[in-house]
Amino acid sequence: QWEICRSLHKSGKMFIVATNIMDNVSLKGRPSTSELNDIFTMMKNGVNGFMLTSETSVSTNGPLAVRYLCKACNRYSNILNKRKIKNDVRRK
């Protein structure tokens, strides 16, 4: 899965991840550490978006899953941008 993400990113193609990425929110009302780690890793590997499937269509916690995903993406985007800036400064 990670190799596919990396190769798509390197080739310049846009891609989204469409899995039950926030499935734990549907079941327990909050994401698991491994789900959050997967989101971070996919963002680090260049994913262009996420698609929530059963989390929003079947679960009563659909809006909560969307909020958690948005919050995680915003936080991880800030982290990755800070890393990029730090690495750019080091290269100069």
Side-chain angles (χ1 to χ4, degrees):
Q1 181 177 354
W2 308 126
E3 286 183 38
I4 293 169
C5 289
R6 275 190 289 269
S7 66
L8 286 169
H9 180 67
K10 284 180 183 177
S11 71
K13 295 185 177 169
M14 295 182 74
F15 66 99
I16 64 168
V17 173
T19 64
N20 295 349
I21 193 93
M22 298 294 270
D23 202 34
N24 220 38
V25 176
S26 303
L27 303 171
K28 298 180 181 177
R30 57 183 290 183
S32 68
T33 303
S34 61
E35 289 170 337
L36 294 171
N37 184 59
D38 287 347
I39 292 168
F40 179 75
T41 305
M42 289 178 192
M43 288 181 70
K44 195 166 106 176
N45 288 319
V47 71
N48 297 99
F50 296 95
M51 180 188 297
L52 296 176
T53 53
S54 65
E55 299 93 337
T56 55
S57 63
V58 178
S59 171
T60 58
N61 288 335
L64 187 60
V66 172
R67 280 195 297 272
Y68 272 122
L69 181 60
C70 288
K71 190 174 180 178
C73 287
N74 287 333
R75 181 171 291 162
Y76 298 151
S77 180
N78 288 335
I79 290 168
L80 292 170
N81 286 335
K82 285 178 185 177
R83 279 186 181 178
K84 184 176 188 264
I85 290 168
K86 196 178 216 181
N87 287 338
D88 288 346
V89 168
R90 285 182 185 167
R91 288 184 189 145
K92 290 181 181 181

